[in-house]
C-alpha cells in the first residue's frame, strides 16, 4: 500500500536494525545527534524536523546548544518510525503517541528488553532452535504474555523483517516467524472449549501478517472467553456465514497498518451484516478512530490491556449485561 505524502514533505528515513542502547560514561546517559542517527537509522535533518516542526521529541541542550538524547528519546524515535511504516502521516503521530501510552504497570527497562533480544538474536544467528526454545521458556515464565510478545519478541521480529536484504537475515526471520507462530497456535489450542464468550479474530485483508493476527488472538484470550482466530485470507464477505455457525458475541478485525478508504467502506458494510459486536484492533485502529467515530464499530487499540478493557465494554453494551 502506498504511503500518503500529503502531510509529510520529508523523505522517508532508511531503516536499519535496532541496536542495543548502551550508556556512555562521558555523556551521563545522553547521546549526541550523530550517535542517535547511527542507532536508529534516522538522519539528523529528519530528527531536527521531527522536533521543530512536529514536537515529537524534546532533546536536552548543552550550554552551547547541542542536542542530547536520552534512552527514552531513542525509544520514542523508534515508535515514531513504526507509525510511519504503517502508513501514518508524520503530522498525526504526536496524537497517536499520546493516545497509546501503555498503562502504568511495572515494565522491564529498555535495557532488559535489549538483553533478551540480544540473546534471542544469538540463537537465531546460530540457527539453534533448542536454545531459542529455552529462552522462550524462560521469558514466558518470567513475564506476562503481553510483555513476552509486545515487549520482547515482536519488536525483534519486526526489526529482522526490515533488514532482509542483509545476507542471512531472511533465514533468521523465517526461523523466528515459524517458531513463534507454532508456539502461539499451541497456546490458542489450550483454551477452555466451554468458555462463556466466543470472540472471532479476523485479519483485515492485506493489513497484517499471520503472526500479528495470532498474537492479537492470544492477547484477547481469558478463562471466560474462547478466541477463534480465522486464517489469513478469510473473505470478509463470508463472515456472516461463519458467524451463523459459530455464533460469536464479537468479531474483532485486526490491522497493523492504516486502513485506506476502500477498507473503511468494507468495514462499514460488514458491520451492517453481522448480528454481534464488531471492533477493530491493532495499530490500524488507533489511526482509524476519527474516521469510525459515531459508527457502531469500536476501536480497541493495540495495547493488550486496552484491547481487553474496550472489548469488555463493547460486549457489555451489546449484551446488555
Amino acid at each position: 500500500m502506498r504511503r500518503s505524502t500529503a502531510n509529510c514533505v520529508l523523505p522517508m528515513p532508511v531503516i536499519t536494525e535496532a541496536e542495543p542502547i548502551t550508556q556512555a560514561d562521558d555523556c551521563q546517559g545522553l547521546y549526541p545527534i550523530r550517535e542517535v542517527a547511527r542507532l536508529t537509522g534516522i538522519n539528523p535533518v529528519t530528527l531536527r524536523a521531527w522536533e521543530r516542526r512536529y514536537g515529537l521529541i524534546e532533546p536536552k541542550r548543552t550550554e552551547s546548544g547541542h542536542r542530547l538524547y536520552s534512552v527514552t528519546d531513542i525509544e520514542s524515535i523508534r515508535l515514531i518510525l513504526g507509525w510511519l511504516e504503517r502508513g501514518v502521516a508524520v503530522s498525526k503521530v504526536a496524537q497517536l503517541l499520546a493516545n497509546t501510552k501503555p498503562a502504568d504497570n511495572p515494565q522491564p527497562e529498555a535495557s532488559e528488553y535489549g538483553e533478551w533480544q540480544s540473546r534471542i538474536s544469538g540463537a537465531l544467528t546460530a540457527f539453534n532452535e533448542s536454545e531459542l526454545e529455552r529462552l522462550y521458556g524462560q521469558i514466558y515464565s518470567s513475564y506476562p504474555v503481553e510483555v513476552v510478545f509486545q515487549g520482547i519478541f515482536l519488536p525483534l521480529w519486526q526489526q529482522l523483517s526490515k533488514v532482509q536484504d542483509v545476507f542471512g537475515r531472511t533465514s533468521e526471520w523465517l526461523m523466528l516467524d515459524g517458531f513463534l507462530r507454532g508456539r502461539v497456535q499451541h497456546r490458542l489450542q489450550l483454551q477452555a472449549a466451554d468458555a462463556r464468550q466466543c470472540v472471532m479474530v479476523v485479519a483485515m485483508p492485506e493489513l497484517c501478517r499471520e503472526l500479528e493476527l495470532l498474537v492479537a488472538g492470544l492477547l484477547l484470550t481469558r478463562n471466560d472467553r474462547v478466541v477463534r482466530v480465522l486464517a489469513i485470507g478469510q473473505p470478509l464477505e463470508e463472515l456472516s456465514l461463519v458467524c451463523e455457525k459459530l455464533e460469536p458475541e464479537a468479531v474483532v478485525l485486526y490491522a497493523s497498518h492504516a486502513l485506506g478508504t476502500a477498507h473503511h467502506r468494507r468495514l462499514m458494510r460488514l458491520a451492517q451484516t453481522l448480528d454481534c459486536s464488531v471492533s477493530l484492533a491493532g495499530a490500524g485502529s488507533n489511526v482509524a478512530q476519527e474516521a469510525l467515530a459515531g459508527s457502531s464499530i469500536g476501536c480497541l487499540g493495540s495495547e493488550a490491556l486496552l484491547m481487553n478493557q474496550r472489548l469488555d465494554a463493547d460486549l457489555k453494551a451489546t449484551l446488555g449485561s
Side-chain angles (χ1 to χ4, degrees):
M1 184 172 66
R2 296 185 62 185
R3 180 180 289 104
S4 170
T5 57
N7 296 314
C8 178
V9 297
L10 299 174
M12 282 301 296
V14 176
I15 304 167
T16 63
E17 180 185 8
E19 300 181 29
I21 302 170
T22 54
Q23 294 186 346
D25 293 336
D26 59 342
C27 58
Q28 299 179 336
L30 298 175
Y31 304 84
I33 196 167
R34 65 179 182 278
E35 178 67 6
V36 174
R38 185 186 71 82
L39 287 167
T40 63
I42 312 300
N43 66 59
V45 173
T46 301
L47 289 172
R48 294 188 191 100
W50 284 359
E51 175 192 349
R52 291 172 178 167
R53 196 176 306 175
Y54 303 107
L56 297 178
I57 42 179
E58 296 181 7
K60 293 179 173 58
R61 298 276 189 149
T62 65
E63 291 183 1
S64 57
H66 294 296
R67 293 170 173 83
L68 292 175
Y69 297 79
S70 67
V71 170
T72 301
D73 292 329
I74 294 172
E75 291 304 318
S76 294
I77 291 166
R78 289 174 175 165
L79 287 173
I80 294 164
L81 182 55
W83 282 114
L84 296 180
E85 290 168 348
R86 292 181 172 95
V88 179
V90 67
S91 58
K92 296 184 178 180
V93 169
Q95 186 59 49
L96 289 171
L97 291 175
N99 290 343
T100 57
K101 287 182 179 178
D104 296 329
N105 293 331
Q107 299 287 340
E109 296 293 333
S111 60
E112 190 172 332
Y113 290 123
E115 287 174 15
W116 284 114
Q117 290 166 349
S118 179
R119 294 166 68 181
I120 296 165
S121 294
L124 293 171
T125 300
F127 296 99
N128 188 340
E129 187 161 357
S130 61
E131 175 64 6
L132 185 58
E133 182 73 69
R134 189 184 70 82
L135 290 169
Y136 175 82
Q138 284 186 325
I139 294 168
Y140 214 101
S141 63
S142 302
Y143 305 111
V145 65
E146 61 269 20
V147 173
V148 172
F149 290 102
Q150 293 189 318
I152 299 174
F153 277 104
L154 280 183
L156 179 60
W157 176 85
Q158 290 163 348
Q159 290 165 19
L160 288 174
S161 74
K162 299 169 189 173
V163 290
Q164 292 188 29
D165 56 335
V166 178
F167 184 75
R169 291 298 166 83
T170 297
S171 298
E172 293 177 19
W173 181 84
L174 287 170
M175 179 181 177
L176 181 61
D177 180 69
F179 175 87
L180 291 176
R181 282 190 288 111
R183 298 312 177 276
V184 176
Q185 286 170 334
H186 175 69
R187 297 277 172 181
L188 288 169
Q189 290 166 1
L190 298 178
Q191 296 179 87
D194 58 348
R196 183 171 57 87
Q197 295 178 351
C198 174
V199 172
M200 284 187 355
V201 178
V202 188
M204 283 298 295
E206 303 174 355
L207 294 183
C208 74
R209 291 178 173 175
E210 184 181 18
L211 179 59
E212 295 171 312
L213 181 69
L214 291 170
V215 169
L218 183 62
L219 295 176
L220 289 173
T221 60
R222 280 195 329 212
N223 292 334
D224 63 341
R225 175 190 298 156
V226 61
V227 174
R228 298 286 299 270
V229 181
L230 302 192
I232 290 282
Q234 167 65 45
L236 298 189
E237 295 75 17
E238 296 181 11
L239 275 183
S240 57
L241 173 64
V242 180
C243 288
E244 233 179 83
K245 308 299 181 183
L246 298 182
E247 298 182 339
E249 278 73 30
V251 170
V252 176
L253 284 300
Y254 186 84
S256 60
H257 291 72
L259 279 67
T261 304
H263 291 113
H264 281 288
R265 286 199 296 263
R266 291 183 72 183
L267 192 55
M268 292 293 194
R269 287 198 299 268
L270 176 67
Q272 294 173 357
T273 67
L274 301 183
D275 189 24
C276 64
S277 167
V278 178
S279 303
L280 181 66
S285 74
N286 295 311
V287 187
Q289 286 187 18
E290 184 177 344
L292 296 177
S295 74
S296 63
I297 302 166
C299 290
L300 304 186
S302 55
E303 297 292 333
L305 179 61
L306 190 60
M307 284 196 298
N308 279 283
Q309 288 174 341
R310 289 179 174 175
L311 180 58
D312 283 340
D314 285 350
L315 285 170
K316 185 176 181 180
T318 302
L319 299 176
S321 58

